[in-house]
Amino acid sequence: MIPYFSREDVGLILYYLGKIIKGMGIMMLIPFFVGVINKEWAPSVDFLFVSLLSLSIGSIPLIIFQEDRDLNWRQGMSIVAICWIVAMFLGAIPLYLSGHYLSFLDASFEAMSAFATTGLVLVNDLDHMAYAYNFWRHFMCFIGGQGIILVAITLFVRGGSVFKVYVGEAREEKIMPNVIQTARFIWLVSLTYLVIFTVILTGINLWRNISPGRALFHSVCLFMAGWDTAGFAVQSQNVLYYHSPIIELVTAMFCLLGAVNFGVHYAVWTGKPRELLRNYELKLYVASILATFFIVCTGLVVHFQFPNFISFFREGFYQLVSSHTGVGYSNISVQNFSYWSPLAILGLIIAMGLGGSSTSTAGGIKILRIGIILKGIKKELKILTSPESTIVVEKFHHIRDMTIEDNHVKMSAIITILYITLYLVGGLIGVFYGYQFLPSLFESVSASANVGLSMGITSPFMPAGLKITYIIQMWLGRLEFISAFVLIRFLLSLRSSE
């Protein structure tokens, strides 16, 4: 049951929202310095302006309300849902000022796509975008992948309010003893891998005779968008721009790592590598990748149009990994999908819809929910085939040994149904605007599961109504519905109390 709100909630919600907005203002100083280093004065001024604007807006509710109470569940979830919308609008301002977007709606679409780690783009002339703006596109992916709320937890939010906003951002597991330590560990993992893979990619780019500064910039941006399963790229051709099997291999590696539960990372980091073999979710994830890759391969073989097996594997497997991890990187052009069979496209749609691991940077239904539903079905079958007095217990290992409870199965089934409904509704809206059903469904699942692959529907020239539809889908998919529903209840409660 979604709780009732009162006007007393407004001040506290705005107070904590102000803290998060100030955090956004601080984050915008990083692309400001990127612009200064590259002597891009106009972009630097834009980011300084938006940073000061965010700090000013964020300070207003802190001065007016001066609340010092802890949040309850309804307030925490409302803050999470609102902050993603506010972040979208603030993040869109420098993008729009760049002159690379036809409208503020397009810039807002791209900002939501970045924060939600989706990767669908509406940018124009990306190949000539200033470093500061381009960095901001990828840095938003990095912020959104770890979670806007994790920024707030690390910098501002304390006390009993922490867990409420943490759960509101579709995270349930505390990897460390408390949420603040968990947030810091997630940042530690991300920053460590950032250094490792940036060094590797920079070395590859230098070996390919790319200038040092450009090599470093491409490497940092590729990692931030890949690790956080966003799929943005520095160039308009995405990963295809590099024409490099080595870069494809390295990006596939950190895409797969980014889609793995942070709890598994913690287990390995703390000397428990056996978790890789015991973890139920991870085993299901590998099985799902193999199963969906089989579907894709079967579809591609039907219309085999490849010069050799290596190109067949590169194209098929890379798109599959990109889909299943929710990254959206692509080593082919959009036009290449025109010769993919419907079965191969369906394989990608299933992979995108299933998504990655829980408590990771990936989107979609999440493999663990599918696993819980399967365990629930197995438990019910055991109950039906056992004597009435038998007590049936179904367990699995995920970081620790866990017992299947009815409420686990119920919530997993509800979220799964909501995702499938969102996928279908978005696909039908695409059909309403005149697109064929399969490409419309592909685009809808890509937006809702925060993937970013496109069959060509997503463009600056698609209908405004479809842009708004995809923004809502990206928002709902990233928050996994519950926080968004609580916010809607909050807004309706305010209206009914007038």
Side-chain angles (χ1 to χ4, degrees):
M1 179 178 178
I2 299 176
Y4 180 77
F5 286 84
S6 68
R7 287 189 175 276
E8 295 178 0
D9 296 308
V10 176
L12 195 58
I13 289 173
L14 291 177
Y15 175 79
Y16 279 95
L17 186 62
K19 288 189 172 186
I20 294 169
I21 293 172
K22 288 186 70 175
M24 284 290 299
I26 294 172
M27 292 294 103
M28 285 189 187
L29 291 175
I30 297 178
F32 162 74
F33 287 115
V34 171
V36 170
I37 291 170
N38 289 280
K39 299 180 180 180
E40 297 172 340
W41 307 122
S44 299
V45 170
D46 290 342
F47 282 106
L48 183 60
F49 164 72
V50 182
S51 175
L52 294 174
L53 177 66
S54 300
L55 291 171
S56 301
I57 293 173
S59 299
I60 293 172
L62 298 181
I63 294 171
I64 294 175
F65 297 103
Q66 296 184 344
E67 299 278 359
D68 196 26
R69 293 176 290 144
D70 284 339
L71 298 167
N72 57 36
W73 286 105
R74 66 178 186 269
Q75 294 163 347
M77 290 192 170
S78 296
I79 288 169
V80 171
I82 295 171
C83 85
W84 281 79
I85 298 173
V86 173
M88 175 189 71
F89 286 120
L90 290 174
I93 296 174
L95 295 182
Y96 181 63
L97 293 175
S98 73
H100 286 265
Y101 297 86
L102 297 181
S103 65
F104 189 73
L105 175 61
D106 286 11
S108 298
F109 180 102
E110 189 125 335
M112 177 59 80
S113 181
F115 282 123
T117 68
T118 303
L120 294 172
V121 300
L122 297 182
V123 62
N124 290 294
D125 196 20
L126 175 59
D127 297 323
H128 297 96
M129 177 177 268
Y131 281 108
Y133 297 129
N134 215 339
F135 177 84
W136 176 237
R137 294 173 68 246
H138 294 81
F139 191 52
M140 283 190 289
C141 301
F142 198 61
I143 295 171
Q146 274 60 249
I148 296 172
I149 293 304
L150 285 192
V151 177
I153 288 173
T154 305
L155 296 175
F156 298 113
V157 181
R158 294 290 184 272
S161 304
V162 171
F163 192 60
K164 276 82 170 182
V165 293
Y166 178 80
V167 172
E169 204 170 50
R171 299 179 189 272
E172 300 175 3
E173 301 171 25
K174 288 191 293 184
I175 300 166
M176 306 285 281
N178 62 61
V179 175
I180 294 176
Q181 288 177 323
T182 297
R184 288 174 178 168
F185 174 75
I186 290 173
W187 278 108
L188 174 63
V189 170
S190 300
L191 292 172
T192 301
Y193 282 129
L194 171 63
V195 173
I196 293 171
F197 281 101
T198 296
V199 169
I200 293 172
L201 285 171
T202 301
I204 295 171
N205 285 328
L206 290 173
W207 175 67
R208 298 178 69 244
N209 295 319
I210 297 176
S211 63
R214 188 172 176 80
L216 177 62
F217 181 77
H218 278 239
S219 301
V220 170
C221 290
L222 271 177
F223 175 81
M224 287 194 295
W227 165 257
D228 291 291
T229 65
F232 276 12
V234 180
Q235 305 292 150
S236 58
Q237 288 184 303
N238 207 272
V239 174
L240 177 62
Y241 169 80
Y242 302 99
H243 295 283
S244 171
I246 299 176
I247 287 182
E248 291 168 18
L249 176 63
V250 174
T251 53
M253 285 174 57
F254 59 68
C255 291
L256 288 166
L257 284 171
V260 171
N261 191 297
F262 277 107
V264 176
H265 286 280
Y266 179 73
V268 174
W269 279 42
T270 53
K272 301 173 184 176
R274 288 189 61 193
E275 183 66 30
L276 295 172
L277 299 176
R278 299 182 61 203
N279 191 275
Y280 175 61
E281 181 183 39
L282 195 56
K283 288 189 284 188
L284 276 179
Y285 190 34
V286 173
S288 178
I289 290 174
L290 294 175
T292 48
F293 184 50
F294 176 78
I295 296 172
V296 170
C297 286
T298 303
L300 290 178
V301 168
V302 172
H303 298 287
F304 194 90
Q305 297 187 25
F306 302 92
N308 51 54
F309 176 79
I310 294 176
S311 62
F312 165 81
F313 183 82
R314 278 180 63 189
E315 181 168 325
F317 188 69
Y318 196 80
Q319 265 51 239
L320 187 279
V321 168
S322 182
S323 298
H324 216 318
T325 58
V327 174
Y329 275 152
S330 181
N331 61 354
I332 62 174
S333 64
V334 172
Q335 291 74 21
N336 282 44
F337 281 124
S338 62
Y339 65 77
W340 280 47
S341 70
L343 180 60
I345 296 296
L346 181 62
L348 293 187
I349 290 174
I350 294 171
M352 289 192 296
L354 292 174
S357 302
S358 59
T359 314
S360 71
T361 61
I365 293 170
K366 303 289 175 61
I367 294 299
L368 184 60
R369 290 195 177 101
I370 302 300
I372 289 173
I373 292 172
L374 292 175
K375 286 287 186 180
I377 293 172
K378 183 180 178 182
K379 180 181 177 181
E380 290 301 316
L381 290 174
K382 284 184 178 179
I383 292 173
L384 291 173
T385 55
S386 301
E388 291 186 7
S389 59
T390 304
I391 298 175
V392 177
V393 177
E394 189 67 31
K395 295 184 177 181
F396 65 93
H397 180 82
H398 176 62
I399 313 302
R400 64 184 186 278
D401 290 333
M402 304 182 71
T403 301
I404 288 289
E405 303 288 347
D406 289 343
N407 63 313
H408 297 156
V409 179
K410 181 178 70 174
M411 283 306 301
S412 295
I414 289 172
I415 297 298
T416 299
I417 291 170
L418 286 172
Y419 266 110
I420 293 172
T421 302
L422 187 63
Y423 298 158
L424 293 174
V425 169
L428 292 174
I429 292 174
V431 171
F432 171 79
Y433 279 105
Y435 298 98
Q436 293 181 347
F437 177 69
L438 191 62
S440 297
L441 181 62
F442 185 97
E443 220 82 2
S444 173
V445 174
S446 183
S448 304
N450 307 127
V451 179
L453 287 175
S454 174
M455 290 187 68
I457 293 177
T458 300
S459 78
F461 308 104
M462 69 179 176
L466 200 53
K467 294 175 183 177
I468 294 171
T469 298
Y470 291 161
I471 288 174
I472 295 171
Q473 287 184 287
M474 290 187 282
W475 178 63
L476 287 172
R478 179 61 179 81
L479 296 180
E480 298 185 357
F481 302 100
I482 303 302
S483 294
F485 291 164
V486 172
L487 173 61
I488 293 169
R489 176 61 185 267
F490 169 57
L491 297 175
L492 291 176
S493 298
L494 290 180
R495 185 174 180 180
S496 63
S497 63
E498 290 179 355

